[in-house]
Amino acid sequence: MTAHPFLDGTVKPLFIDGQWRPARSGDSFESIDPSTGHVLTRVARGDAADIDDAVAAARRAFDSEWQSWKPFDRQALMLDVAAAIDRRFEDLARLESMDMGAPLARTLSFRRWIQQTFRYYAAQALSIRGDVLSNSAPGDYLSYSLKLPLGVVGAIIPWNGPLITQLWSICPVLATGCTLVLKPAEEAPLSTLMMAEILHEAGVPKGVINVVPGPGPTAGAALAAHRDVDKIAFTGSTLTGRKIIEASATNMKRVAVELGGKSPDIVFADADLELAARGAAMACFNNSGQVCYAGTRLFVERSIYADFVEKVAEVGRSLKVGPSLDPQTQLGPLASSMQLEKVTGYFDIARADGARIVSGGERLGGDLADGFFVSPTVLADVDNSMRVAREEIFGPVIAAIPFDSEAEVVAMANDTTYGLGSGIWTQNLGRAHRVARSLRAGMTWTNCYAVTDPGVTMTGARQSGYGVKGGPWHLDEYLLNKTVWMNIAGE
């Protein structure tokens, strides 16, 4: 086992009301290194009783002096937190790689993005404002709006990138004056627990940020249904998202859900094919395919289909798959044995449905046999009706589908229940704009893929969810827009 200062050999406790504490049940679970299959540590297993404690702590903090903090004070706190994270960033990135399997080169690259995110939302803290609203009511009335913190927020984040996804709740909570109960996934809770430690040591008041790892059916369900939670933010599968939405009806809490995807990535014959081949490959293979908006359905114009698919496969073959802490690794393992079983199961499904495996299509053995590794995979001769083209695999598996015309590919791209990401590769400016407008997805990249920035909105459509992350409208989801009427008549 590789040593890490956060892993001291003890069970990692829950973080509630500014204190570390065991689960009420006394139960814990193993955190597994997916590169080796070995146990990293044990983590306290939170359940409904612990969620109750965390929500109560968040409510007390919301009703306390936290509400007296001015926007300048919250901004200053966020900048202090950003500096504290930066001082311990290498350890934080390394812990994320050990816990969920992302290559260290990838997690270390998040340093700038995390600093951007905290600083962007710190600036937003000073920009919250209401409006004076014109009215035509008989008499003499002043009407205006105030934007006030919504209250207690519950956030449930996935295992495929907690170092990043936790910030989509932590930062708007700190910027607006809300409080937070955060439930990380059992598969990768460690970077979120370490983040709680950093936030607390940087001066975030007790109860403002609480972290309760635990199973979705118990801890997650309790958080989603809790009557004293004012908003729930969920990132994960569409099936679980539906359950979250149903549970939110207990008190009509606000809900934002980012769910699954089966995103189309479209390559026209006039594209820069070298750029497109690398871009299309990494649109899926990045993070070993464990990205909700990954470009997993690759549509290629028929005149270039065979050659281009081979180019993409060659990119996959050239990538170094290996342990997450190896500095040369470009693709790490899948995050869990369960995910490994799911992804490799699709190789047999693809063969049975008539798809051809151009590259990959196997679990990796040898020195990697103990970990959860699969090779980057390209499937050809895929029809848009096949299961590998319909279902979210969440692994490094590209389904390549030929097309003949712009109208045909738009129709096929939109023939899905999802609507998260999409990509277009072409040098025809008019076509790029037409297709981008026609794709039923919350995000479209042209001649690039998966470029993100905290100041630019991310959103989904259809069964990929609703609500926004990032950009100028994100804070509105954490604010109550309150209207005030004043009779200002002289008599």
Side-chain angles (χ1 to χ4, degrees):
M1 182 187 298
T2 305
H4 188 282
F6 191 71
L7 306 179
D8 57 7
T10 64
V11 175
K12 304 309 296 184
L14 315 177
F15 186 76
I16 298 175
D17 205 18
Q19 297 180 337
W20 297 102
R21 60 173 72 174
R24 280 187 174 269
S25 66
D27 290 343
S28 62
F29 61 92
E30 293 178 342
S31 178
I32 304 295
D33 181 348
S35 291
T36 64
H38 298 157
V39 176
L40 287 170
T41 189
R42 296 192 68 87
V43 179
R45 186 192 301 274
D47 60 18
D50 302 295
I51 291 294
D52 283 342
D53 289 346
V55 172
R59 179 59 63 188
R60 286 193 299 272
F62 182 76
D63 292 337
S64 71
E65 68 274 7
W66 178 235
Q67 289 305 301
S68 69
W69 284 50
K70 301 299 184 184
F72 170 82
D73 301 319
R74 296 197 303 272
Q75 181 191 59
L77 174 63
M78 294 187 73
L79 295 176
D80 287 345
V81 169
I85 292 171
D86 203 51
R87 287 192 294 271
R88 297 182 64 184
F89 177 74
E90 285 81 3
D91 284 340
L92 192 59
R94 190 157 154 262
L95 186 64
E96 173 94 339
S97 290
M98 295 168 69
D99 197 24
M100 66 78 54
L104 187 59
R106 172 178 168 82
T107 57
L108 287 173
S109 73
F110 294 155
R111 184 174 216 146
R112 176 184 172 91
W113 196 96
I114 290 172
Q115 294 300 309
Q116 279 184 271
T117 303
F118 268 93
R119 283 164 169 75
Y120 175 77
Y121 283 94
Q124 293 284 88
L126 296 181
S127 302
I128 298 170
R129 62 186 182 275
D131 294 295
V132 176
L133 307 170
S134 298
N135 71 79
S136 300
D140 194 358
Y141 299 96
L142 171 66
S143 49
Y144 63 93
S145 67
L146 297 171
K147 291 192 175 181
L148 305 173
L150 188 60
V152 176
V153 176
I156 301 171
I157 63 172
W159 45 260
N160 62 314
L163 184 57
I164 292 296
T165 55
Q166 63 186 302
L167 300 191
W168 290 125
S169 297
I170 291 172
C171 288
V173 158
L174 294 178
T176 58
C178 291
T179 58
L180 178 65
V181 177
L182 180 57
K183 193 205 83 67
E186 287 178 282
E187 293 85 349
L190 297 181
S191 66
T192 306
L193 288 167
M194 184 175 173
M195 182 69 77
E197 179 179 274
I198 295 171
L199 293 169
H200 179 65
E201 292 176 356
V204 174
K206 69 176 186 178
V208 171
I209 305 291
N210 307 273
V211 179
V212 182
T218 53
L223 186 59
H226 206 289
R227 292 181 179 273
D228 208 22
V229 170
D230 301 294
K231 171 186 168 66
I232 196 80
F234 172 77
T235 302
S237 73
T238 298
L239 178 62
T240 304
R242 291 194 190 101
K243 296 177 181 177
I244 297 291
I245 294 167
E246 292 168 1
S248 72
T250 54
N251 66 337
M252 298 297 181
K253 60 176 63 68
R254 288 194 195 177
V255 181
V257 288
E258 181 186 326
L259 307 176
K262 194 68 180 177
S263 299
D265 199 13
I266 302 169
V267 180
F268 290 93
D270 69 339
D272 178 334
L273 298 183
E274 296 301 321
L275 176 68
R278 180 76 183 181
M282 298 315 295
C284 176
F285 297 153
N286 194 25
N287 204 32
S288 298
Q290 299 168 126
V291 179
C292 51
Y293 49 70
T296 53
R297 286 188 300 151
L298 178 61
F299 293 97
V300 183
E301 195 161 0
R302 194 177 301 275
S303 63
I304 61 167
Y305 180 82
D307 289 344
F308 187 81
V309 169
E310 180 55 35
K311 284 180 181 288
V312 173
E314 189 54 39
V315 173
R317 296 185 193 106
S318 72
L319 297 173
K320 176 174 173 51
V321 181
S324 61
L325 296 186
D326 183 340
Q328 302 304 313
T329 291
Q330 294 170 289
L331 295 187
L334 298 172
S336 67
S337 59
M338 183 180 298
Q339 192 61 21
L340 175 67
E341 182 178 353
K342 176 185 175 183
V343 171
T344 54
Y346 274 99
F347 300 151
D348 292 333
I349 291 170
R351 294 185 184 97
D353 286 349
R356 175 169 54 90
I357 296 179
V358 180
S359 60
E362 62 184 357
R363 178 180 182 176
L364 296 177
D367 293 342
L368 303 179
D370 291 335
F372 311 140
F373 296 92
V374 296
S375 54
T377 299
V378 176
L379 306 176
D381 304 333
V382 176
D383 182 273
N384 203 39
S385 64
M386 292 181 182
R387 287 183 62 186
V388 292
R390 310 298 298 178
E391 300 173 9
E392 186 177 36
I393 300 172
F394 224 60
V397 183
I398 292 175
I401 304 166
F403 71 90
D404 293 301
S405 69
E406 180 180 317
E408 179 194 24
V409 75
V410 168
M412 287 197 295
N414 288 336
D415 181 18
T416 175
T417 60
Y418 297 111
L420 195 54
S422 55
I424 305 165
W425 302 85
T426 180
Q427 297 187 69
N428 184 315
L429 184 61
R431 173 185 287 146
H433 284 295
R434 285 194 308 271
V435 175
R437 182 177 58 194
S438 300
L439 293 175
R440 296 179 64 191
M443 299 173 286
T444 298
W445 292 276
T446 302
N447 295 327
C448 59
Y449 204 93
V451 181
T452 63
D453 184 276
V456 179
T457 297
M458 298 172 58
T459 189
R462 297 188 283 179
Q463 292 190 39
S464 288
Y466 51 82
V468 300
K469 293 179 178 176
W473 303 290
H474 192 192
L475 284 195
D476 286 340
E477 300 203 357
Y478 292 76
L479 295 165
L480 173 65
N481 199 2
K482 180 186 178 86
T483 299
V484 178
W485 286 84
M486 296 187 68
N487 185 347
I488 58 173
E491 297 178 0

